[in-house]
């Protein structure tokens, strides 16, 4: 968003990039928590998928309402 405000790229692109990075961060944290709790790959994938899906749903809902 800061680079978009500085004019490096379009504000719409800045919003999309920020949303994608936020969802990727949620997937990472969800996977990391799943791994720390069980040390197995299935909970890691499920944790990342679940938190990423929640973030994606909230992002889509925000775009729908605004």
């Amino acid at each position: 968003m800061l680079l978009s405000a500085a004019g490096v790229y379009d504000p719409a692109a800045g919003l999309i990039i920020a949303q994608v990075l936020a969802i990727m961060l949620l997937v990472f944290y969800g996977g990391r928590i799943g791994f720390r709790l069980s040390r197995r790959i299935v909970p890691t994938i499920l944790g990342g998928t679940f938190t990423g899906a929640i973030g994606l749903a909230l992002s889509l809902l925000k775009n729908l309402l605004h």
Side-chain angles (χ1 to χ4, degrees):
M1 296 297 287
L2 185 61
L3 291 174
S4 174
V8 176
Y9 44 79
D10 187 42
L15 180 63
I16 291 170
I17 291 169
Q19 287 179 343
V20 168
L21 288 175
I23 292 170
M24 287 173 51
L25 190 64
L26 283 172
V27 169
F28 171 75
Y29 283 139
R32 185 74 178 133
I33 290 169
F35 181 75
R36 295 282 288 167
L37 289 176
S38 66
R39 304 271 188 214
R40 291 183 297 169
I41 191 72
V42 173
T44 302
I45 293 171
L46 288 176
T49 303
F50 185 71
T51 56
I54 289 172
L56 183 61
L58 289 173
S59 176
L60 290 173
L61 183 63
K62 183 185 80 116
N63 286 335
L64 182 70
L65 294 176
H66 291 110

